[in-house]
Amino acid sequence: MPESFGGRIIYLLQQYGPSFLRGAGVTMAIALVGTFIGCVIGFAVGIVQTIPVSKRDGLPKRIFLKVVKTILSIYVEVFRGTPMMVQAMFIYYGLQSMCNISMSMWFAAFFIVSINTGAYMAETVRGGILSIDIGQTEGAKAIGMTHFQTMTSVILPQALRNIMPQIGNNLIINIKDTCVLSVIGTVELFFSAKRVAGAFYTYFEAFTIAMVMYFVLTFTCSRILRWMEHKMDGPDNYDLASLDTLTHTSGMYPFRKRRSGDE
């Protein structure tokens, strides 16, 4: 084992580089899949939580929606109010001992990250839906669209741009928080670094490598998400064009330039 700090890092990379890379791959797989499924859960819960209930609705419908919304609210509050590590221990070991439900490591990891992310995304989606002007919903209802059609065709496409930064934020958080899954035996990046550090008692060097790898993963994902946000914004200028010959007398102009110019 080299005596210098840099030499020990190079030695660990040469001997255990594949182990670090496999751990990083597991971390990214769990974070990506968990964030995707969590977003699906969050969108579903958010849509249900915003279903309007009026006195004109039948009593069975009002009672049913009240019960469903209460259950979903409990789910959101419980999983937002408890640490993921505790959730992992409760679900993986608790269900096995109390209910004799055995989960594989992979299924448990995906399940825990997904439902945890879903709870956070549910509130994000609900806030994104409520941020859209109520006139959009009223206009959709006026032409006969159902609540589901209004959400999927009118509201959510607009709300998605508003909540896109939070989706990216949840992905970044999940990349880092997958380290807590080591308590159920998930061999992700933190677990791999801990195992390498324990073999040679090189904790500072092993976790320096892990820290750099975590930063590379999160920084790369954040840049990609920023690029996606920029693409969703569209071009900076929009040319207004019309087939009506009467409009051509006023000429064509870029949209942003026209707005900023004198009337």
Side-chain angles (χ1 to χ4, degrees):
M1 176 69 67
E3 296 183 359
S4 64
F5 174 73
R8 288 193 294 270
I9 287 183
I10 294 175
Y11 177 81
L12 292 179
L13 288 174
Q14 290 175 341
Q15 297 296 320
Y16 296 98
S19 179
F20 280 107
L21 291 177
R22 281 194 299 270
V26 172
T27 292
M28 284 303 301
I30 296 174
L32 289 171
V33 174
T35 302
F36 175 77
I37 298 176
C39 287
V40 174
I41 296 173
F43 274 95
V45 174
I47 292 175
V48 173
Q49 286 181 323
T50 56
I51 295 177
V53 180
S54 65
K55 295 181 178 180
R56 293 177 296 178
D57 296 324
L59 183 61
K61 179 181 177 180
R62 284 185 287 167
I63 294 176
F64 175 75
L65 287 177
K66 181 66 176 178
V67 172
V68 171
K69 289 184 178 182
T70 300
I71 294 173
L72 293 178
S73 296
I74 293 173
Y75 154 68
V76 171
E77 294 300 329
V78 168
F79 281 91
R80 289 176 68 224
T82 55
M84 188 187 292
M85 181 180 290
V86 176
Q87 296 167 14
M89 298 287 286
F90 176 82
I91 292 173
Y92 188 73
Y93 295 113
L95 293 181
Q96 186 175 19
S97 62
M98 296 298 295
C99 305
N100 199 26
I101 299 177
S102 298
M103 299 182 182
S104 67
M105 179 273 295
W106 279 103
F107 178 82
F110 289 136
F111 181 71
I112 292 163
V113 175
S114 298
I115 59 177
N116 183 274
T117 304
Y120 284 95
M121 281 304 304
E123 286 298 286
T124 300
V125 172
R126 186 181 67 84
I129 291 173
L130 296 178
S131 69
I132 305 301
D133 187 83
I134 190 63
Q136 301 282 329
T137 302
E138 293 174 348
K141 295 294 180 64
I143 61 175
M145 297 180 72
T146 64
H147 179 75
F148 182 78
Q149 291 173 329
T150 301
M151 287 295 107
T152 56
S153 301
V154 179
I155 304 301
L156 288 182
Q158 300 178 69
L160 180 61
R161 177 59 186 86
N162 296 337
I163 66 179
M164 191 65 186
Q166 185 58 35
I167 294 176
N169 189 49
N170 283 333
L171 174 60
I172 300 302
I173 291 174
N174 285 339
I175 292 175
K176 297 181 294 183
D177 283 357
T178 52
C179 65
V180 306
L181 298 177
S182 61
V183 298
I184 64 173
T186 306
V187 187
E188 37 68 57
L189 181 55
F190 173 80
F191 191 95
S192 300
K194 186 178 179 181
R195 187 165 55 183
V196 172
F200 294 97
Y201 297 99
T202 52
Y203 287 91
F204 188 56
E205 293 81 358
F207 284 106
T208 296
I209 297 173
M211 183 176 65
V212 171
M213 294 183 73
Y214 273 118
F215 176 77
V216 170
L217 294 177
T218 56
F219 182 80
T220 302
C221 288
S222 65
R223 294 299 99 184
I224 294 174
L225 291 166
R226 288 283 182 86
W227 175 81
M228 292 176 62
E229 290 178 31
H230 179 71
K231 297 297 288 185
M232 292 177 68
D233 287 339
D236 291 335
N237 293 301
Y238 298 86
D239 291 333
L240 300 182
S242 173
L243 296 178
D244 189 350
T245 56
L246 294 177
T247 62
H248 289 285
T249 58
S250 60
M252 300 298 183
Y253 54 87
F255 178 65
R256 291 184 178 274
K257 183 178 179 180
R258 177 65 176 179
R259 288 184 60 188
S260 60
D262 296 333
E263 293 293 331

